[in-house]
Amino acid sequence: MPRNLTAPPHTSTITITSTTTAATSSSSSSTSSSSASNTEYNFPALIFGVLLIIVIICGNVLVCLSVYAEKALKTTTNYFIVSLAVADLLLAVLVLPLFVYAEFQDGVWSLNMTICDGLMTMDVMLCTASIFNLCAISIDRFIAVSVPLNYNRKHVDQRQIVLLSATWILALAVASPVLFGINDVPNRDHKECKLEDNNYVVYSSVCSFFVPCPIMLILYCGIFRGLRKWEEARKAKLKSGVQACQKLQEAAASLPPLASLPPPLPPIIEKDFSDMNLEELDQDPDPIDHYPTGCKDGPVNSLSYPYNQDKNQNQERKRAKINGRERKAMRVLPVVVGAFLFCWTPFFVVHTMRALCEDCHIPSSLMSTVTWLGYVNSALNPIIYTVFNTEFRKFFKKFLPNCC
C-alpha cells in the first residue's frame, strides 16, 4: 500500500552551488563531493530490505512449486493460496526494490514521478489483491462447510474461477485512479513519492482493508461453528458404529465357530471409544476403510457429512466428506489471516489517520515502521505453511534439507 517516501525534517537535500560563474573544474569537484556528503544513507534499511526480498521470493516460489508438484496439495484451497503467493511475489519484484531504494536514501525520492505513480499503483493493487485473496479463501471455505454437496474439492470449478478473477479485477479497479492521474496535482513535491489525494487514501483503505476484514472474520466464525457441529456429529456416529460392531462380535462369540463369522476386531475398535480423539482419526483421510467388511455397510457408513442422508448417492457422499487433512488445512488459514491483520492493521490505521487529520503530526519514522511491518507479512505466509501444514513442510524439506 502507499506510503510517504519523504525526507525527515533533519534530512539535507543535495544542492550544488558555485561561487562564481567562472569556477574551475577543481572547485566544482570539491563542491559536488561536499554536497554528496550531506546526503544520509540508511544502510540498515538496505540490508534488511534485500534480505526481506530474498526471503519473500524464495518462500513464495516454494509454495507455488509445492502445489504444482505435490498431488496431495492440489486442492482448491491451495489454488487460492497460490494466488496469494503470486501477489506476494509481485510485491517483492515490482514494489519492494523501489521502496528499499528510497529508504536507503533516507526517504528522498530521486526518480521520475512516472515511476512513482507506477509504484503507487502496484503497491495499492498488490496489497488489495492479498487481502481480497484471503477474503476469497474465507468465502470458498464457508461454502465448503455450509453446502458440501455442491462443492468440488479436487478441481477448480466455475464459482472458484469467478472468485479468483474477481480478486484481481477488483484489486486493479481500486488502484486504477492512480493510473488515470489522480496523483498529478499542482505544485507536487518531486522529492516525495506518495498518494497526493487524501480522499483517495481513505477510499482505498476502506476498500482494501476496513470492509474485507470484518467480512473475513464473520465468515471464519461461521466456518468454525460448522466444523464444530460436524465433528460432534461425526464423533457421535462413529461411536454408534463402534458399538454396533461390538454387539455384532459379542453375538458372534456366543455361536459355534463358523467360517462366515466376522474377522476379529481391528485395534481401532478394540480400543475404548472414550480413549479415542479426533486427532487420531485425522491421521487417515478415510478412517472408514479400517473397519471390518461387515461394518462398512452398517452404522459406520454414516461417517460422511451429516447433511448427506442418501446412502445410494456414493459419488455425492465422497464429495461431501471432509477428511482430516482438509480440516487441518482449514486450521492454518486463521493463522494466515491473524498474521495479516497483525502486520497491516497498524499501517492502515496510521495511514487513514494521516489522511483525515492533516494537522496531526505523524513522525516519518512511524510511517516507515508500519510500512515495513506490512511488507514483512509477505514473508510470513510461507513460514506459517511450513509450521502448520504437514504436506507443505514435507515438500520444503526436500528443497531445504539443511535448514529444516
Side-chain angles (χ1 to χ4, degrees):
M1 284 298 294
R3 89 295 289 159
N4 181 13
L5 298 177
T6 179
H10 64 274
T11 303
S12 300
T13 58
I14 300 175
T15 58
I16 300 177
T17 59
S18 58
T19 57
T20 64
T21 57
T24 61
S25 58
S26 60
S27 63
S28 298
S29 175
S30 175
T31 304
S32 298
S33 61
S34 174
S35 300
S37 64
N38 291 330
T39 303
E40 297 183 7
Y41 294 106
N42 192 341
F43 285 97
L46 176 64
I47 296 172
F48 179 76
V50 171
L51 292 176
L52 181 62
I53 291 173
I54 294 173
V55 171
I56 292 174
I57 292 177
C58 293
N60 287 285
V61 165
L62 282 176
V63 169
C64 296
L65 288 176
S66 61
V67 176
Y68 175 79
E70 292 292 324
K71 184 178 180 181
L73 291 173
K74 292 183 183 296
T75 64
T76 52
T77 300
N78 288 340
Y79 292 140
F80 284 97
I81 290 176
V82 168
S83 180
L84 177 62
V86 169
D88 290 336
L89 275 173
L90 292 176
L91 183 77
V93 174
L94 300 178
V95 175
L96 274 179
L98 293 174
F99 172 74
V100 172
Y101 176 73
E103 288 290 293
F104 172 64
Q105 293 189 314
D106 213 17
V108 178
W109 182 257
S110 59
L111 301 177
N112 189 282
M113 299 313 293
T114 301
I115 298 177
C116 172
D117 290 343
L119 174 64
M120 292 293 99
T121 301
M122 296 306 300
D123 203 358
V124 173
M125 176 181 171
L126 294 175
C127 181
T128 304
S130 293
I131 195 168
F132 281 3
N133 271 298
L134 291 172
C135 196
I137 290 173
S138 65
I139 295 173
D140 180 73
R141 294 292 83 202
F142 184 78
I143 294 173
V145 172
S146 302
V147 197
L149 292 179
N150 295 327
Y151 184 80
N152 190 340
R153 302 180 188 282
K154 292 297 182 183
H155 305 286
V156 177
D157 59 19
Q158 185 175 3
R159 176 179 57 246
Q160 290 149 351
I161 292 175
V162 170
L163 273 176
L164 284 169
S165 302
T167 292
W168 290 93
I169 293 173
L170 291 175
L172 178 60
V174 172
S176 60
V178 183
L179 286 176
F180 296 139
I182 198 171
N183 258 12
D184 294 334
V185 296
N187 302 320
R188 183 179 182 181
D189 187 356
H190 286 207
K191 292 185 178 67
E192 292 181 318
C193 183
K194 64 177 184 177
L195 293 176
E196 301 289 343
D197 192 313
N198 288 333
N199 292 326
Y200 175 73
V201 171
V202 176
Y203 159 77
S204 62
S205 298
V206 169
C207 293
S208 302
F209 187 81
F210 292 110
V211 169
C213 283
I215 294 175
M216 276 194 299
L217 295 176
I218 292 172
L219 288 174
Y220 274 114
C221 287
I223 289 170
F224 281 92
R225 285 184 60 187
L227 281 177
R228 186 167 58 251
K229 291 180 180 178
W230 184 90
E231 288 183 342
E232 290 173 355
R234 178 175 180 261
K235 189 173 181 178
K237 292 193 175 187
L238 179 60
K239 183 176 181 179
S240 65
V242 170
Q243 291 173 345
C245 287
Q246 289 174 338
K247 290 179 180 179
L248 178 63
Q249 294 292 336
E250 291 172 358
S254 63
L255 299 175
L258 295 174
S260 59
L261 285 178
L265 283 172
I268 193 173
I269 296 182
E270 289 177 351
K271 240 177 130 178
D272 184 7
F273 185 82
S274 61
D275 296 332
M276 298 175 61
N277 54 58
L278 292 175
E279 191 65 28
E280 293 174 350
L281 298 175
D282 286 348
Q283 294 176 359
D284 193 284
D286 198 357
I288 192 174
D289 291 338
H290 293 288
Y291 287 88
T293 304
C295 296
K296 281 189 179 180
D297 297 326
V300 181
N301 195 37
S302 59
L303 278 172
S304 58
Y305 200 93
Y307 287 107
N308 183 14
Q309 301 295 331
D310 189 355
K311 296 182 180 180
N312 296 323
Q313 297 178 348
N314 294 327
Q315 187 63 29
E316 280 75 7
R317 179 162 55 249
K318 290 180 181 179
R319 289 174 56 191
K321 190 182 298 180
I322 300 179
N323 57 41
R325 177 182 298 158
E326 187 172 2
R327 287 198 303 280
K328 289 180 180 178
M330 287 185 184
R331 295 185 184 116
V332 178
L333 299 177
V335 182
V336 177
V337 175
F340 185 92
L341 295 177
F342 174 79
C343 291
W344 280 109
T345 299
F347 171 82
F348 280 100
V349 171
V350 174
H351 192 59
T352 306
M353 184 185 304
R354 178 174 173 270
L356 294 175
C357 182
E358 298 182 5
D359 297 331
C360 297
H361 173 66
I362 299 178
S364 58
S365 58
L366 176 61
M367 285 297 301
S368 180
T369 300
V370 297
T371 303
W372 278 112
L373 180 61
Y375 288 144
V376 166
N377 177 252
S378 297
L380 288 180
N381 290 338
I383 298 174
I384 293 172
Y385 305 144
T386 304
V387 173
F388 290 93
N389 189 292
T390 305
E391 283 75 22
F392 275 111
R393 185 163 60 249
K394 289 179 180 178
F395 184 85
F396 278 32
K397 286 182 178 180
K398 293 179 183 178
F399 284 83
L400 306 171
N402 298 326
C403 299
C404 301

